[in-house]
């Protein structure tokens, strides 16, 4: 007669134990395959059908306590916050760029890359930093940069490759998110500069919606970092301000992280940082920033 377990799960290795009269020692090692199978069968028969875990409710409550970070961005200093109309215009421009990328991705990705464009493997964090930002990410990069400027031909391997459409159009979503996370991690410990801004804008333009949970976390981290850095600026004429405001605006307004959005306090701020669109055109030249052209 078959047991209840055998009715549900037939034996994969049926072995007849009826002729085995000797008792097996479950504490000792099996001496042959037959004894091993018999030992497994006996151990399984001694397991209860239902097992109830004994849990201390006090310990369970402590372990289940979760702390979620829902903090918004640092408020912009007075006069540093862009107006709502400006933010709406940037979202509209950004949407146009994304639509153009989606429409022409196949054509751009089919373009032949130059021989010097060797994209790193997806797991090569240091390689992506060098590829996107150049040798500026390493100590002594300033001297290397001066050498590059002195040369008649620009060496992208030293100063970093711009986010050309022929490059970013080849990225799948996994690559987009991975490179974005790498650059955000680098940005957490370093200052902002134009090459980084170009790549951040380009990768955000290639990031598909709806966002994955890890993408939500990454872009919120980016917006907070931009807001913290903005709070350290001493002048509204600082060239970093338009770019920082643009990134915060796109994360908050386009990707719907509304708790991170800038809220102007007065109509005067509507005209603040209007040069951000100029930054986007300048930094996006020949790359994602001019995709809609």
């Amino acid at each position: 007669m078959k047991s209840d377990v055998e009715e549900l799960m037939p034996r994969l290795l049926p072995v007849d134990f009826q002729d085995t009269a000797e008792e097996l020692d479950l504490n000792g090692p099996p001496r042959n395959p037959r004894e091993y199978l018999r030992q497994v069968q006996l151990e399984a028969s001694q397991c209860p059908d239902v097992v109830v875990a004994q849990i201390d409710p006090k310990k369970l409550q402590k372990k289940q306590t979760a702390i979620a970070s829902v903090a918004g961005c640092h408020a912009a200093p007075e006069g540093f916050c862009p107006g709502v109309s400006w933010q709406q215009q940037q979202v509209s421009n950004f949407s146009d760029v994304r639509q153009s990328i989606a429409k022409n991705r196949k054509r751009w990705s089919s373009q032949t890359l130059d021989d010097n464009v060797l994209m790193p493997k997806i797991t090569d964090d240091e390689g992506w930093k060098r590829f996107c930002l150049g040798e500026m990410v390493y100590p002594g990069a300033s001297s290397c940069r001066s050498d590059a400027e002195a040369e008649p031909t620009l060496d992208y391997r030293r100063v970093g490759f711009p986010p050309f459409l022929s490059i970013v159009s080849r990225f799948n979503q996994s690559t987009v998110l991975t490179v974005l996370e790498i650059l955000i991690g680098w940005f957490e410990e370093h200052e902002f500069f134009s090459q980084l801004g170009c790549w951040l804008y380009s990768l955000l333009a290639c990031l598909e919606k709806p966002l994955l949970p890890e993408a939500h976390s990454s872009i919120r981290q980016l917006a907070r970092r931009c807001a913290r850095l903005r709070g350290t600026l001493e002048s509204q004429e600082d060239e970093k301000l338009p770019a920082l405001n643009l990134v915060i605006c796109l994360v908050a307004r386009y990707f719907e992280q509304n708790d991170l959005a800038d809220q102007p306090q007065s109509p005067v701020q509507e005209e603040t940082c209007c040069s951000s669109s100029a930054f986007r055109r300048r930094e996006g030249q020949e790359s994602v920033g001019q995709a809609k052209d």
Side-chain angles (χ1 to χ4, degrees):
M1 182 177 179
K2 293 184 179 180
S3 65
D4 294 339
V5 175
E6 288 180 299
E7 290 290 346
L8 297 175
M9 297 183 295
R11 293 181 183 178
L12 294 178
L13 297 173
V15 179
D16 186 10
F17 297 108
Q18 294 180 359
D19 57 346
T20 304
E22 59 180 332
E23 292 292 335
L24 294 179
D25 182 9
L26 297 181
N27 296 322
R31 294 170 295 181
N32 52 58
R34 180 185 292 272
E35 286 191 359
Y36 171 76
L37 294 175
R38 180 57 176 165
Q39 190 176 49
V40 171
Q41 185 185 56
L42 291 175
E43 289 178 349
S45 66
Q46 294 176 2
C47 294
D49 294 335
V50 179
V51 179
V52 179
Q54 301 298 325
I55 300 176
D56 185 350
K58 296 181 179 180
K59 294 182 179 180
L60 183 62
Q61 290 177 359
K62 292 181 180 179
K63 291 183 178 181
Q64 285 187 336
T65 301
I67 301 176
S69 177
V70 293
C73 287
H74 286 273
E78 185 177 356
F80 285 66
C81 178
V84 173
S85 61
W86 179 88
Q87 295 182 56
Q88 292 172 343
Q89 182 61 49
Q90 303 314 309
V91 170
S92 177
N93 294 341
F94 185 67
S95 179
D96 291 342
V97 170
R98 287 172 59 90
Q99 291 178 15
S100 181
I101 291 176
K103 181 179 179 181
N104 299 285
R105 178 181 295 274
K106 185 176 181 181
R107 174 170 61 87
W108 287 326
S109 62
S110 64
Q111 294 180 3
T112 303
L113 297 176
D114 294 338
D115 295 337
N116 64 334
V117 182
L118 300 176
M119 287 187 284
K121 295 181 180 179
I122 189 65
T123 56
D124 187 1
D125 290 11
E126 299 302 315
W128 280 112
K129 293 174 187 177
R130 290 192 296 269
F131 182 86
C132 298
L133 307 179
E135 296 181 359
M136 294 182 65
V137 301
Y138 296 103
S142 57
S143 59
C144 296
R145 190 181 184 187
S146 298
D147 295 339
E149 291 173 350
E151 296 176 356
T153 303
L154 181 62
D155 187 354
Y156 286 130
R157 289 174 296 182
R158 290 188 176 185
V159 299
F161 286 89
F164 291 126
L165 292 166
S166 57
I167 293 178
V168 297
S169 295
R170 286 174 160 80
F171 291 178
N172 57 28
Q173 283 302 289
S174 177
T175 303
V176 169
L177 183 55
T178 297
V179 178
L180 184 60
E181 290 175 343
I182 291 172
L183 296 183
I184 292 174
W186 184 90
F187 182 33
E188 283 286 345
E189 301 178 356
H190 298 81
E191 289 295 319
F192 184 91
F193 67 105
S194 59
Q195 178 77 353
L196 175 63
C198 289
W199 272 100
L200 292 175
Y201 185 93
S202 303
L203 293 170
L204 289 175
C206 295
L207 193 62
E208 295 180 357
K209 297 172 69 176
L211 298 178
L212 296 173
E214 51 268 32
H216 274 283
S217 176
S218 295
I219 64 174
R220 289 179 65 86
Q221 178 185 355
L222 173 61
R224 292 193 187 99
R225 170 56 179 157
C226 289
R228 291 197 305 270
L229 184 57
R230 180 178 61 182
T232 65
L233 302 181
E234 298 180 354
S235 171
Q236 297 181 27
E237 302 302 321
D238 194 304
E239 62 179 6
K240 299 184 185 71
L241 179 58
L244 298 175
N245 279 338
L246 179 58
V247 173
I248 296 172
C249 169
L250 297 179
V251 170
R253 303 290 184 180
Y254 186 85
F255 291 103
E256 301 174 344
Q257 306 301 305
N258 297 320
D259 61 307
L260 305 180
D262 285 321
Q263 302 294 341
Q265 300 296 323
S266 65
V268 176
Q269 293 179 334
E270 291 287 333
E271 302 300 327
T272 303
C273 306
C274 61
S275 59
S276 296
S277 58
F279 163 82
R280 189 184 61 81
R281 291 194 298 269
R282 182 179 72 252
E283 300 301 339
Q285 188 174 6
E286 298 182 356
S287 57
V288 171
Q290 288 190 340
K292 64 178 181 179
D293 296 334

